[in-house]
Amino acid sequence: MKGMDSEKKKTETSMSKPLFYFLKNISREVIGMKALQYCLSFLFIGSLSQSISSYESDPYLWLEEVESKASLAWVEEQNQETFTRYTQSNEFNEQYQKIKTELNDEERIPSAYYQNGEMYNFWRDEENVRGIWRKTSFESYLEDQPVWENILDIDQLAEKEGVNWLYRGADCLAPEYRRCLIRLSDGGTDAVTIREFDLIEKKFVRNGFNTYSSKQNASWVNENQILIGADFGEGSMNESGYPMQVKLWNRGEALDDAKVFFTGSYEKIFSFPFVSIRPDGKYYGIIEGPTFFSKVLHLFDGEKLIKVDLPLMIDIHGFFKDSLILTIQEDWGVFRSGSLLEINVSSALTNSINEKDVTVIFEPDGKRFISRVSVGKNQLMVSMLENVNGKITRYMKNDDGWNSIDIEGFQNSTMNIYGQDVWSDNAFISVSNFLEPSSIFHASDGADYKKIKSRKNSIDPEKYRVEQNFVSSADGTSIPYFLISRKDLELDGDNPTILYGYGGFQISKPPAYLGGSIAEYWLDAGGVYVVSNIRGGGEFGPEWHQSALKENRQRAYDDFIAIAIDLIEKGITSPEHLGIEGRSNGGLLVGATFTQRPDLFNAVICGVPLLDMYRYDKLLAGASWVDEYGDPDNPEEWEFISKYSPYQNLKEGTEYPEVFFYTSTKDDRVHPGHARKMAKKMTDLGSTVVYYENTEGGHAGTSNIDQFSFLLALQLAYLKDKLMN
């Protein structure tokens, strides 16, 4: 569904990807928004006053002023120290160029999506730093060298307008696909500018649906109307900094004059407009989020919005003929949590849903758990995880109900739904693993999948091994992790090892290709790479995620620590040679872990992190994360948050590993003040740190291939310095 799908996709990408998975698309993610604030009673005033006092005494608040002269001067000083330490050698420059060459490889697969008989791709390379939006025919795409037709050159646009534009995607109106809403970000921020674009004329539409910069979402209703949620001025944005109001905007009228279609409340998390335009009908309305993990569906019945009586813990995937397709994240009557359901739309619009109006398409069996659902013209494609390995099942509906067919032939690989067209039933999947790059497979009208694109492997997979191991966490729960190394690895305790983790927001970490530079620089040199599947993620369904929420957050950190200890006890590595890596929520993970067990690690890569968990809900989109972590303004919840908050748990006289912090000045999702304040506090306590802040890039940390290559080369130099010497 438009609107919601784009935000969900953000959540599943850049926030969660380890930097070592650098051959994947560099993308974005959203973590949600803040739940209803607690009204503190008189009994809590004493505790609240103590917390406020501790906040007011924070000597590093000046670093939260993102672009003040003082804070930027501090950033520049830290960056220069890092550059001087790591970027002056020939080895660094060679590695930097090698990574950039691999990322810019002309033979890499051009990721493309099917639209109106053609394949659309956004391409970046050394000459097209910001990128080109382009297209080719489906037949041409099947060739080794497709013939591309350029549509929009972002480098030319940026130079012409003097703005550091980054392309953030296009939404084209079906079924003609002539008019598109293009999203542009200045420097990589989540705030975007939307411009209407004519795909035939290849130019922006003068006096079209063009907006100013804001965190916003828009969807076509028809050629002359869109639904848009944006910053319309005072009272239109919620506590989390996301649109609270949605307007129905008619062509030719000023946006300020457009009629308000929906108004949410200040405390609720999001109000996304959605439109589903399919051959079998059109539906539109609002998906409202009381919390990040709960949703309320408002459907337009032709005259008014109807609030549909559904459970709160749901994921809405779209419409299929006269049905609504969703998954539930909690038990709902006789329907089990994690089930994929079909619900009659007519019953939903009249709020008369009963058991006979609900069909179970898939029910968890304790082995497989849904990770993604894609609704096509005549089928559903469902990605699942079975013991953290990818599976895809195709569901087709006939008079007898839903029939399922597993797509076979891809054992021990990660399978992802690459794309599906609702107007033709062309469907694509990608297949990869740690040692094999992605291949693209295509099928149409239910036929068998055939490989249409693959990339030459830049490594010899026969040199390496991949193991899946399990370890008991502090409470006895069995936690899986993947270990990748050379086959001739000796268990001598001296192997440089990186342990990656995320553990949040029901995001799973299945195998993904590591790439030639990492294999050559890390694995060939005797290094080990480990990917954890700790609680808080989605590897084993909703319960795996929910078991590490709020007061149970420590379980994720216990899981991560248990894996680290297991690696040491098995003789794979030792504290002197063990490093950890995480970004965003994963940055919080490694921050909490190294402050709790500084004795276990000698290197920490902490990217675009959350670290000050007392202030997190007051910075940028931070109010969105309360449903995951808890509310620090509630003394009862601050009690458990304060026990792991990295910033508050730094202790004078403790020997910490030298941490590599990185962030972005342009990150308007996770505030750069987290990394800044933590780094400054650690140095004032006598610790040494490595710090790098990119001046653009948003929450991804970088905005183009060159910046990404530079950051990865910095990290590899740091890891060699700390773990290989």
Side-chain angles (χ1 to χ4, degrees):
M1 293 169 63
K2 297 175 183 176
M4 193 60 202
D5 276 355
S6 62
E7 295 303 315
K8 181 70 173 177
K9 186 174 182 180
K10 290 178 187 178
T11 308
E12 295 171 342
T13 52
S14 78
M15 175 181 175
S16 58
K17 292 294 183 189
L19 194 58
F20 271 14
Y21 286 15
F22 66 95
L23 290 179
K24 291 291 186 182
N25 291 332
I26 305 167
S27 49
R28 295 94 53 212
E29 79 260 332
V30 166
I31 25 185
M33 307 131 240
K34 186 174 183 179
L36 182 65
Q37 287 276 13
Y38 286 85
C39 295
L40 298 176
S41 70
F42 177 81
L43 293 175
F44 291 147
I45 289 177
S47 298
L48 181 59
S49 299
Q50 184 178 4
S51 295
I52 290 174
S53 174
S54 117
Y55 151 56
E56 290 177 342
S57 65
D58 184 349
Y60 305 109
L61 286 178
W62 59 277
L63 286 166
E64 292 181 6
E65 299 173 15
V66 177
E67 295 188 343
S68 72
K69 288 184 178 180
S71 60
L72 289 180
W74 179 86
V75 167
E76 177 62 21
E77 181 182 358
Q78 304 307 306
N79 282 352
Q80 286 303 318
E81 289 182 7
T82 299
F83 297 161
T84 299
R85 179 172 173 177
Y86 288 122
T87 67
Q88 306 304 307
S89 68
N90 289 333
E91 182 182 11
F92 174 86
N93 290 319
E94 289 173 3
Q95 184 64 26
Y96 167 38
Q97 292 300 325
K98 186 177 296 184
I99 294 170
K100 189 162 62 171
T101 298
E102 184 169 5
L103 287 172
N104 281 312
D105 182 6
E106 292 290 331
E107 295 184 4
R108 69 188 190 272
I109 295 176
S111 301
Y113 60 93
Y114 186 94
Q115 179 176 283
N116 201 26
E118 297 176 303
M119 301 298 289
Y120 287 76
N121 161 256
F122 187 73
W123 182 261
R124 294 188 295 183
D125 55 29
E126 286 190 279
E127 293 184 2
N128 304 286
V129 176
R130 293 179 178 86
I132 293 177
W133 189 34
R134 59 187 190 172
K135 69 176 182 177
T136 189
S137 69
F138 179 71
E139 292 73 22
S140 177
Y141 184 72
L142 299 179
E143 302 294 329
D144 291 337
Q145 298 293 329
V147 178
W148 294 99
E149 177 185 343
N150 291 347
I151 302 170
L152 179 62
D153 188 319
I154 305 301
D155 291 275
Q156 288 182 3
L157 180 68
E159 182 178 0
K160 177 182 177 181
E161 299 186 353
V163 181
N164 184 21
W165 288 129
L166 299 181
Y167 177 79
R168 289 292 184 248
D171 175 16
C172 300
L173 175 61
E176 293 84 6
Y177 295 104
R178 174 167 183 166
R179 294 297 176 93
C180 305
L181 299 175
I182 291 182
R183 298 182 297 278
L184 299 168
S185 166
D186 183 358
T189 62
D190 283 351
V192 297
T193 297
I194 293 176
R195 293 187 184 176
E196 185 178 358
F197 188 84
D198 189 311
L199 202 51
I200 304 297
E201 298 291 335
K202 297 183 187 177
K203 64 182 181 181
F204 291 107
V205 177
R206 185 178 181 184
N207 299 322
F209 291 116
N210 304 319
T211 72
Y212 39 78
S213 180
S214 165
K215 291 185 178 181
Q216 57 188 300
N217 295 279
S219 294
W220 290 102
V221 176
N222 54 55
E223 185 178 354
N224 295 309
Q225 289 182 313
I226 68 170
L227 284 174
I228 180 169
D231 185 351
F232 305 123
E234 185 177 354
S236 66
M237 302 292 278
N238 65 22
E239 182 181 23
S240 302
Y242 290 91
M244 184 174 71
Q245 284 187 345
V246 175
K247 290 186 175 185
L248 181 63
W249 188 8
N250 296 298
R251 184 176 298 281
E253 72 177 339
L255 180 54
D256 289 344
D257 298 331
K259 182 180 178 181
V260 174
F261 183 75
F262 177 84
T263 299
S265 67
Y266 181 72
E267 296 84 3
K268 290 185 179 179
I269 307 307
F270 57 82
S271 300
F272 288 140
F274 74 85
V275 181
S276 171
I277 302 175
R278 296 172 45 88
D280 46 46
K282 177 195 295 186
Y283 295 99
Y284 63 94
I286 303 293
I287 298 176
E288 184 183 24
T291 68
F292 182 65
F293 300 109
S294 60
K295 299 175 184 68
V296 176
L297 174 64
H298 301 262
L299 266 179
F300 190 66
D301 69 355
E303 297 181 358
K304 61 185 180 300
L305 280 172
I306 302 296
K307 180 181 177 181
V308 181
D309 185 14
L310 292 167
L312 286 175
M313 301 291 286
I314 58 176
D315 280 326
I316 301 169
H317 305 295
F319 294 86
F320 184 86
K321 303 185 187 302
D322 296 321
S323 298
L324 172 66
I325 306 297
L326 56 83
T327 49
I328 53 174
Q329 308 301 323
E330 61 183 352
D331 290 346
W332 180 34
V334 299
F335 306 110
R336 291 178 51 197
S337 175
S339 295
L340 177 62
L341 305 177
E342 174 193 22
I343 298 175
N344 181 272
V345 174
S346 297
S347 298
L349 284 169
T350 57
N351 277 320
S352 58
I353 301 172
N354 54 47
E355 286 187 24
K356 68 179 180 62
D357 297 311
V358 182
T359 301
V360 177
I361 302 172
F362 168 82
E363 185 176 73
D365 57 5
K367 295 181 180 179
R368 291 190 178 188
F369 302 92
I370 291 176
S371 58
R372 186 185 171 195
V373 177
S374 175
V375 182
K377 181 181 179 182
N378 293 308
Q379 65 182 16
L380 306 182
M381 298 287 289
V382 181
S383 293
M384 302 187 194
L385 288 178
E386 183 176 337
N387 197 22
V388 204
N389 283 283
K391 308 287 182 182
I392 292 182
T393 301
R394 172 193 285 143
Y395 289 90
M396 307 281 288
K397 189 176 183 180
N398 56 32
D399 293 338
D400 298 325
W402 290 92
N403 294 325
S404 64
I405 301 174
D406 288 341
I407 298 175
E408 302 290 352
F410 306 105
Q411 287 76 21
N412 301 316
S413 295
T414 296
M415 302 172 64
N416 293 306
I417 302 167
Y418 187 75
Q420 192 168 197
D421 178 46
V422 301
W423 290 84
S424 65
D425 240 347
N426 280 287
F428 304 81
I429 62 174
S430 64
V431 180
S432 67
N433 56 43
F434 286 117
L435 304 177
E436 298 282 350
S438 291
S439 295
I440 307 301
F441 293 76
H442 166 260
S444 181
D445 298 324
D448 291 337
Y449 278 84
K450 296 181 179 180
K451 184 187 292 187
I452 60 171
K453 289 288 178 184
S454 62
R455 181 180 179 181
K456 182 180 178 181
N457 200 340
S458 57
I459 64 176
D460 178 6
E462 296 302 317
K463 293 171 56 178
Y464 311 103
R465 65 183 177 192
V466 177
E467 298 177 358
Q468 186 180 35
N469 297 330
F470 293 82
V471 63
S472 292
S473 190
D475 63 358
T477 302
S478 183
I479 309 299
Y481 66 89
F482 291 102
L483 187 150
I484 307 98
S485 69
R486 285 193 333 225
K487 286 184 176 179
D488 60 354
L489 178 74
E490 295 184 14
L491 303 181
D492 56 8
D494 291 333
N495 300 293
T497 301
I498 289 296
L499 169 59
Y500 167 76
Y502 185 75
F505 296 90
Q506 203 170 330
I507 294 173
S508 305
K509 309 310 304 176
Y513 184 59
L514 290 179
S517 295
I518 300 305
E520 178 182 344
Y521 192 92
W522 192 254
L523 299 182
D524 286 355
V528 179
Y529 194 65
V530 180
V531 177
S532 65
N533 300 118
I534 61 179
R535 282 173 287 185
E539 286 85 350
F540 299 99
E543 291 183 5
W544 195 250
H545 168 236
Q546 294 163 12
S547 65
L549 290 178
K550 294 187 175 181
E551 68 272 17
N552 295 318
R553 198 71 190 177
Q554 183 60 40
R555 290 175 177 170
Y557 312 141
D558 289 342
D559 295 352
F560 202 57
I561 290 169
I563 296 172
I565 293 173
D566 195 50
L567 294 170
I568 294 168
E569 291 181 345
K570 286 181 175 177
I572 294 168
T573 191
S574 61
E576 181 183 0
H577 298 288
L578 177 58
I580 50 178
E581 176 201 356
R583 63 184 311 276
S584 196
N585 174 74
L588 171 60
L589 167 69
V590 298
T593 304
F594 88 76
T595 52
Q596 291 179 23
R597 291 300 305 271
D599 58 306
L600 289 178
F601 316 107
N602 199 37
V604 180
I605 295 178
C606 187
V608 289
L610 291 89
L611 294 166
D612 181 353
M613 297 304 287
Y614 181 71
R615 292 274 295 151
Y616 85 90
D617 65 325
K618 303 162 185 70
L619 301 173
L620 298 176
S624 53
W625 313 321
V626 168
D627 201 36
E628 181 85 8
Y629 304 121
D631 187 346
D633 293 334
N634 178 342
E636 289 185 345
E637 298 195 358
W638 173 243
E639 176 67 22
F640 59 74
I641 297 171
S642 66
K643 292 179 180 178
Y644 69 77
S645 179
Y647 186 65
Q648 279 74 26
N649 280 284
L650 287 171
K651 295 180 177 63
E652 189 173 4
T654 301
E655 185 177 350
Y656 294 107
E658 187 175 36
V659 181
F660 185 147
F661 295 101
Y662 72 87
T663 187
S664 166
T665 312
K666 286 288 190 179
D667 190 344
D668 58 348
R669 196 177 313 164
V670 176
H671 198 290
H674 285 279
R676 292 175 177 181
K677 295 198 308 178
M678 188 79 168
K680 175 63 172 168
K681 186 174 182 179
M682 288 186 70
T683 56
D684 287 353
L685 288 174
S687 297
T688 59
V689 303
V690 178
Y691 187 89
Y692 174 62
E693 181 172 323
N694 191 16
T695 56
E696 59 183 57
H699 191 53
T702 59
S703 63
N704 56 53
I705 291 174
D706 183 71
Q707 292 176 7
F708 186 81
S709 303
F710 181 80
L711 177 57
L712 181 54
L714 270 181
Q715 293 183 63
L716 289 172
Y718 161 80
L719 291 172
K720 181 178 180 181
D721 176 28
K722 304 307 298 182
L723 304 182
M724 288 186 171
N725 292 332

